[in-house]
Amino acid sequence: MNTDPRQSLIHASRQFHQLGWMAGTAGNLSAKMPDNSFWITASSKQKGKLVLEDFVRMSLTGEILENPSPNNKPSAETSIHQAIYSLFPDANACYHVHSVEAKLVSNFIAHEQLPLPPIEMLKGLGIWQENPKVYMPVFENYLEVPRIAEDIIQRFKTMTPDVPALLIRNHGVTVWATSPEAAENHIELVEYIFRYIVAARQAGLNFQH
Ligand SMILES: CSC[C@@H](O)[C@@H](O)C(=O)COP(=O)(O)O
Ligand SMILES: [Zn+2]
């Protein structure tokens, strides 16, 4: 990460908005600067129309370091981005979107792990086994977002997720990666996988591990 990532975040946000994954003000994106601070979308901005002023630069411990517009507040879900950066030091970008499919698949299981289909796309998420049996962690959704962040920290202290992604039930997906471009790729891959899971269920296919 050598430069201001905001243009990459604006580009990704517009793409995701057009795909229906960041409808209205839904979702939030962040990416780190070389000094380990991170730019994150300001809360309640329309995600199809972001401009450079619609971001806040934060420290990893949650202080506002730079705010181009006095009315900006950091994303309501900043604590989740902080949790990801503290757990995964190689993560330089963290993207969170709200697709219909992410919400649907989070309801296909009652427990904490969603089985993923053994499809080729998993390679893009770092899974190179034949017929892999891998899962995506699912967290409960709470109105109080720091409670979700705390659950993420507690669970990932004792287990490493199979893929760099997590679902929040009835809410959306969060991915992390070494760069904004890689995070955009991860979002596209997990959303493809969610669409596949929904379609497989409609077709009566069962790939439970
Ligand atoms: C459309 S409301 C969605 C919010 O509650 C939240 O889940 C979200 O993703 C966006 O919150 P924000 O504070 O704008 O980053
Ligand atoms: Zn959200």
Side-chain angles (χ1 to χ4, degrees):
M1 287 299 311
N2 297 317
T3 52
D4 185 336
R6 283 178 291 175
Q7 285 297 356
S8 299
L9 299 177
I10 290 170
H11 168 82
S13 192
R14 194 177 302 135
Q15 292 269 105
F16 298 156
H17 172 78
Q18 281 167 1
L19 289 162
W21 305 340
M22 292 186 105
T25 61
N28 31 75
L29 307 181
S30 75
K32 274 193 198 165
M33 293 282 284
D35 65 358
N36 263 343
S37 65
F38 62 95
W39 283 105
I40 188 162
T41 43
S43 190
S44 305
K45 301 290 180 185
Q46 277 188 276
K47 301 306 190 305
K49 300 180 181 171
L50 293 178
V51 293
L52 284 176
E53 288 69 36
D54 292 335
F55 293 83
V56 181
R57 191 165 68 84
M58 312 282 299
S59 72
L60 287 179
T61 47
E63 291 103 18
I64 295 178
L65 302 177
E66 199 173 334
N67 192 346
S69 170
N71 295 326
N72 282 349
K73 288 200 178 81
S75 163
E77 292 169 347
T78 300
S79 55
I80 295 177
H81 294 247
Q82 280 175 253
I84 294 301
Y85 290 135
S86 75
L87 286 159
F88 306 107
D90 289 344
N92 287 316
C94 179
Y95 285 11
H96 164 69
V97 302
H98 282 212
S99 70
V100 170
E101 287 82 2
K103 291 180 178 66
L104 285 174
V105 301
S106 76
N107 282 293
F108 289 176
I109 44 119
H111 40 276
E112 295 184 338
Q113 297 250 70
L114 176 75
L116 300 181
I119 58 177
E120 182 72 12
M121 300 299 256
L122 287 176
K123 285 185 183 159
L125 297 170
I127 306 290
W128 287 82
Q129 303 145 24
E130 217 156 77
N131 294 316
K133 291 187 176 19
V134 292
Y135 296 82
M136 187 179 296
V138 182
F139 291 85
E140 295 310 317
N141 193 32
Y142 300 113
L143 203 54
E144 203 189 324
V145 178
R147 194 171 161 199
I148 308 174
E150 190 51 37
D151 275 4
I152 293 169
I153 290 171
Q154 290 312 322
R155 189 160 352 146
F156 288 171
K157 264 187 194 166
T158 55
M159 60 86 78
T160 306
D162 295 332
V163 291
L166 63 88
L167 271 165
I168 307 173
R169 206 182 311 274
N170 286 324
H171 181 157
V173 68
T174 295
V175 305
W176 53 96
T178 51
S179 69
E181 291 69 29
E184 186 172 340
N185 181 44
H186 285 178
I187 285 286
E188 290 184 15
L189 292 172
V190 296
E191 289 296 342
Y192 178 98
I193 291 168
F194 298 153
R195 290 197 300 281
Y196 181 93
I197 294 173
V198 171
R201 177 173 264 236
Q202 282 166 348
L205 262 178
N206 188 2
F207 54 82
Q208 294 290 331
H209 305 324

